[in-house]
């Protein structure tokens, strides 16, 4: 038995009681996951919209302003494009793994199984750090937006209001979370498309009193703000914007039909990269000058985004309130998603002995109460805003999370490579896989090497001239991964698994709603197209 199997959490008695009697004894069709205790309540459309727009938040709308200022519009496109290719590579690897093993712990558990338990521990804690940083960013922004509307309540007061509100919402359960995320994500997509349409009208001279200016800002102040140094700095921001594309793997355990939902969601990541990220990079650089003083270093708590500046330059002074309202909506979704992903990460780690055991407890409804409390409490990091200002606080936390994103993504590629080695060593062929990654092995090796390279180069701009503070901020988490790995390895005497030793069977399960139930009637005849769509919802 592998370490990942030995570390699986025991089934709580109250989880047994919560199961539907018809589920017991019929294979792995439990509504409550018997290993982790979470409820399998997410529908295919929930996971699809999470993959498409779920984690899009203030990082993209506000942080892109700092990226635009650092590198210019061309650097922004290059950064989004390069990181987008890497993200696509990672999702191909993750799609193959998660469709076959929709287990609790996602790639942290798979790191145990295919490499070494110490490796899974290092990946898990780095991934948790990412979501702590992202959550703090989002609390920073949502509180700052409220202060910009009314400063009668102090920043910390708004933070506490939202903290308790989000905690209460998370404790309602995964089905409520999934439904809210579906509609909020849809609203974010509609808002971004509306801005893209406005941008085309604006630069074409369709706004009254504004002449057509096309690619004016690509000529003045220019496509690049600081040469290669500017491009390198943009990579850090872009990695944080893309963080979350891999979250479908974390949510797979709580999905009713991972065999259908996960591959469908993976395919939608390509749409997200092209339409959402590349669209934002292009239109933000088209409508906002990279040297606009409002982009960074604002003295007020309310951060400015390229969207705000574009609307004001178009003559709508009060457009700031519309964009702040849009940012507020994205924050609602992004904070919600960050708490969810962070809490599930620490939950699965605790159940496998990688974090304090009490964090692995779930109630009868499948809600990880203690893990949710801890994750949400980490959002208090946003209160560094009180002493440093919103913009500086944002920059500090971005640098912390950027390098961890590259390390986790690189780890996913390595896990995929090790899985294929074990799959081949034990006599299986790629044709047996329910979802097969594109362009293996080139795609997986590209993901591994590019993430390792970017983990080292992302802080390059701090070297010339040398800035000790920013250098430490950019690289302090880089040695954390090997430190965790070797400390755990030598303390608990773990070892690397050989391909023929890997357990390829544990963790595989069938969908709660089989494909035949969605596609056919009880007598086996096909459903009409409208019934198939309705059933999939």
């Amino acid at each position: 038995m592998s370490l990942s199997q030995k570390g699986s959490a025991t089934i709580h008695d109250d989880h047994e009681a919560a199961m539907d009697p018809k589920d017991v004894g019929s294979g792995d069709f439990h509504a409550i996951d018997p290993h982790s205790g979470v409820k399998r309540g997410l529908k295919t459309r929930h996971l699809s919209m999470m993959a498409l727009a779920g984690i899009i938040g203030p990082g993209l709308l506000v942080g892109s302003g700092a990226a635009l200022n650092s590198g210019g519009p061309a650097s922004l496109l290059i950064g989004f494009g390069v990181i987008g290719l890497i993200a696509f590579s990672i999702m191909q690897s993750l799609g193959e793994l998660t469709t076959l093993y929709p287990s609790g712990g996602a790639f942290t558990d798979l790191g145990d199984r295919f490499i070494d338990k110490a490796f899974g521990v290092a990946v898990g804690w780095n991934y948790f750090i990412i979501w702590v940083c992202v959550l703090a960013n989002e609390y920073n922004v949502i509180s700052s937006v409220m202060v910009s509307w009314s400063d009668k309540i102090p920043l910390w007061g708004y933070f506490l209001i939202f903290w308790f509100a989000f905690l209460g919402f998370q404790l309602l359960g995964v089905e409520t979370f999934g439904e809210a995320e579906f509609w909020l994500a849809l609203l974010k997509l509609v808002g971004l498309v509306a801005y893209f349409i406005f941008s085309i009208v604006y630069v074409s001279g369709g706004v009254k009193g504004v002449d057509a200016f096309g690619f004016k800002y690509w000529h003045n102040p220019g496509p690049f703000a600081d040469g290669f140094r500017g491009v390198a700095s943009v990579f850090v921001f872009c990695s944080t914007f893309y963080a979350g594309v891999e979250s479908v793997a974390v949510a797979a355990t709580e999905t009713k039909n991972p065999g259908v939902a996960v591959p469908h969601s993976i395919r939608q990541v390509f749409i997200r990269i092209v339409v959402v990220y590349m669209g934002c990079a292009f239109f933000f650089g088209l409508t906002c000058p990279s040297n606009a003083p409002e982009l960074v270093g604002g003295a007020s708590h309310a951060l400015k985004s390229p969207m705000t500046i574009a609307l004001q330059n178009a003559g709508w002074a009060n457009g700031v309130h519309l964009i702040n309202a849009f940012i507020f909506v994205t924050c609602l979704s992004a904070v919600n998603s960050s708490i969810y992903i962070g809490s599930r990460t620490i939950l699965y780690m605790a159940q496998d002995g990688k974090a304090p055991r009490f964090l692995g407890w779930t109630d009868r409804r499948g809600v990880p109460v203690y893990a949710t409390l801890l994750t949400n409490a980490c959002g208090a990091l946003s209160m560094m805003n009180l002493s440093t200002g919103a913009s500086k606080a944002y920059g500090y936390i971005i640098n912390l999370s950027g390098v961890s994103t590259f390390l986790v993504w690189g780890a996913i590629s390595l896990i995929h490579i090790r899985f294929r080695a074990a799959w081949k060593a034990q006599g299986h062929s790629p044709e047996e896989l329910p979802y097969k990654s594109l362009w293996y092995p080139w795609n997986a090796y590209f993901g591994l090497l590019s993430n390792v390279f970017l983990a080292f180069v992302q802080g390059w701009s701090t070297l010339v001239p040398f800035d000790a503070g920013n250098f430490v901020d950019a690289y302090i988490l880089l040695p954390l991964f090997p430190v965790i790995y070797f400390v755990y390895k030598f303390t608990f005497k773990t070892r690397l698994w050989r391909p023929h030793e890997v357990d390829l069977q544990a963790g595989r399960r069938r969908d709660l709603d089989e494909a035949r139930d969605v596609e056919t009637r009880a007598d086996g005849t096909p459903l009409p197209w409208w019934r198939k769509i309705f059933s999939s919802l």
Side-chain angles (χ1 to χ4, degrees):
M1 182 180 290
S2 69
L3 282 176
S4 60
Q5 288 175 286
K6 293 177 181 178
S8 298
T10 58
I11 304 172
H12 302 294
D13 292 338
D14 54 354
H15 295 151
E16 293 278 10
M19 292 178 187
D20 192 319
K22 68 183 180 181
D23 289 331
V24 180
S26 59
D28 193 2
F29 287 97
H30 302 305
I32 298 292
D33 183 69
H35 300 289
S36 64
V38 297
K39 186 174 183 180
R40 295 167 175 171
L42 291 177
K43 299 179 181 179
T44 300
R45 65 182 174 90
H46 295 157
L47 199 66
S48 294
M49 196 57 77
M50 283 179 64
L52 192 58
I55 201 60
I56 294 173
L60 180 63
L61 304 181
V62 177
S64 54
L68 179 61
N69 179 266
S70 298
S75 296
L76 200 62
L77 272 176
I78 292 171
F80 272 106
V82 171
I83 303 299
L85 286 174
I86 298 172
F88 181 77
S89 167
I90 299 307
M91 292 309 295
Q92 286 296 310
S93 294
L94 205 53
E96 182 172 300
L97 293 167
T98 309
T99 304
L100 193 63
Y101 304 106
S103 59
F107 34 85
T108 63
D109 177 68
L110 297 177
D112 297 359
R113 181 190 302 234
F114 300 121
I115 302 178
D116 180 355
K117 184 160 187 174
F119 187 82
V121 172
V123 173
W125 279 108
N126 269 270
Y127 195 58
F128 182 69
I129 287 170
I130 292 173
W131 291 107
V132 166
C133 293
V134 172
L135 178 62
N137 274 334
E138 288 150 0
Y139 270 131
N140 173 24
V141 175
I142 197 171
S143 300
S144 298
V145 168
M146 295 304 296
V147 169
S148 72
W149 281 334
S150 174
D151 58 3
K152 293 182 179 179
I153 298 177
L155 185 79
W156 60 265
Y158 283 120
F159 167 75
L160 288 176
I161 291 171
F162 286 119
W163 192 91
F164 283 105
F166 281 113
L167 177 63
F169 188 82
Q170 284 286 325
L171 296 180
L172 292 177
V174 70
E175 290 169 321
T176 306
F177 161 79
E179 199 63 33
E181 275 306 291
F182 176 82
W183 293 108
L184 286 172
L186 186 61
L187 186 59
K188 287 188 285 188
L189 287 177
V190 170
L192 286 175
V193 171
Y195 181 77
F196 295 165
I197 294 172
F198 158 77
S199 299
I200 295 171
V201 174
Y202 176 40
V203 302
S204 302
V207 176
K208 185 178 180 180
V210 179
D211 295 331
F213 60 89
F215 286 82
K216 171 185 175 182
Y217 299 134
W218 278 69
H219 300 285
N220 182 22
F224 295 98
D226 196 16
F228 178 75
R229 178 175 169 168
V231 175
S233 65
V234 167
F235 283 140
V236 181
F237 288 99
C238 291
S239 65
T240 306
F241 303 155
Y242 276 103
V245 295
E246 73 293 322
S247 62
V248 294
V250 179
T253 303
E254 292 178 87
T255 304
K256 290 183 177 181
N257 310 304
V260 175
V262 173
H264 185 63
S265 302
I266 296 296
R267 294 184 188 104
Q268 288 186 329
V269 169
F270 180 76
I271 301 174
R272 176 176 175 177
I273 291 170
V274 174
V275 176
V276 177
Y277 290 115
M278 295 305 292
C280 286
F282 177 74
F283 286 113
F284 287 173
L286 193 66
T287 58
C288 177
S290 62
N291 60 355
E294 298 90 350
L295 286 176
V296 292
S300 67
H301 291 302
L303 295 174
K304 298 291 184 70
S305 83
M307 301 168 75
T308 304
I309 296 168
L311 287 179
Q312 289 177 329
N313 290 344
W316 190 11
N318 292 326
V320 61
H321 299 300
L322 175 64
I323 301 303
N324 274 346
F326 185 47
I327 292 172
F328 179 80
V329 170
T330 66
C331 283
L332 293 178
S333 172
V335 172
N336 202 28
S337 294
S338 297
I339 298 173
Y340 171 81
I341 300 168
S343 64
R344 269 51 177 187
T345 300
I346 200 71
L347 168 78
Y348 300 136
M349 289 172 62
Q351 292 176 343
D352 202 25
K354 303 175 188 138
R357 284 284 183 182
F358 77 94
L359 295 171
W361 181 81
T362 61
D363 66 14
R364 292 173 60 87
R365 298 172 300 113
V367 178
V369 178
Y370 298 136
T372 300
L373 277 168
L374 174 66
T375 304
N376 199 28
C378 291
L381 280 174
S382 64
M383 289 300 96
M384 71 170 64
N385 190 340
L386 294 173
S387 59
T388 64
S391 295
K392 289 184 178 179
Y394 184 88
Y396 291 150
I397 302 173
I398 281 287
N399 285 336
L400 284 174
S401 60
V403 67
S404 289
T405 301
F406 294 131
L407 292 174
V408 169
W409 283 6
I412 292 171
S413 295
L414 180 59
I415 291 168
H416 184 207
I417 293 168
R418 292 278 297 177
F419 159 71
R420 278 297 191 99
W423 191 255
K424 181 179 180 180
Q426 297 185 30
H428 297 282
S429 69
E431 284 66 34
E432 298 175 51
L433 296 169
Y435 179 92
K436 190 163 64 174
S437 170
L438 291 175
W439 309 313
Y440 184 86
W442 312 111
N443 214 1
Y445 280 103
F446 167 72
L448 174 61
L449 296 176
S450 58
N451 277 293
V452 171
F453 171 75
L454 288 175
F456 284 96
V457 81
Q458 49 89 27
W460 180 82
S461 61
T462 66
L463 299 177
V464 182
F466 183 71
D467 186 321
N470 288 335
F471 176 82
V472 171
D473 193 31
Y475 285 106
I476 191 171
L477 290 184
L478 189 59
L480 182 64
F481 193 99
V483 167
I484 294 175
Y485 176 79
F486 285 111
V487 168
Y488 193 94
K489 185 173 184 63
F490 292 127
T491 301
F492 294 95
K493 311 300 182 189
T494 65
R495 69 182 183 86
L496 291 171
W497 297 110
R498 296 184 177 92
H500 67 274
E501 296 175 325
V502 172
D503 182 359
L504 294 173
Q505 300 305 319
R508 299 171 68 170
R509 73 172 174 90
R510 296 165 68 185
D511 293 349
L512 292 184
D513 301 322
E514 294 287 4
R516 58 177 174 80
D517 296 329
V518 176
E519 300 292 335
T520 64
R521 296 185 176 93
D523 61 4
T525 58
L527 289 172
W529 64 269
W530 60 271
R531 285 286 300 277
K532 292 179 183 178
I533 295 175
F534 180 77
S535 297
S536 69
L537 299 179

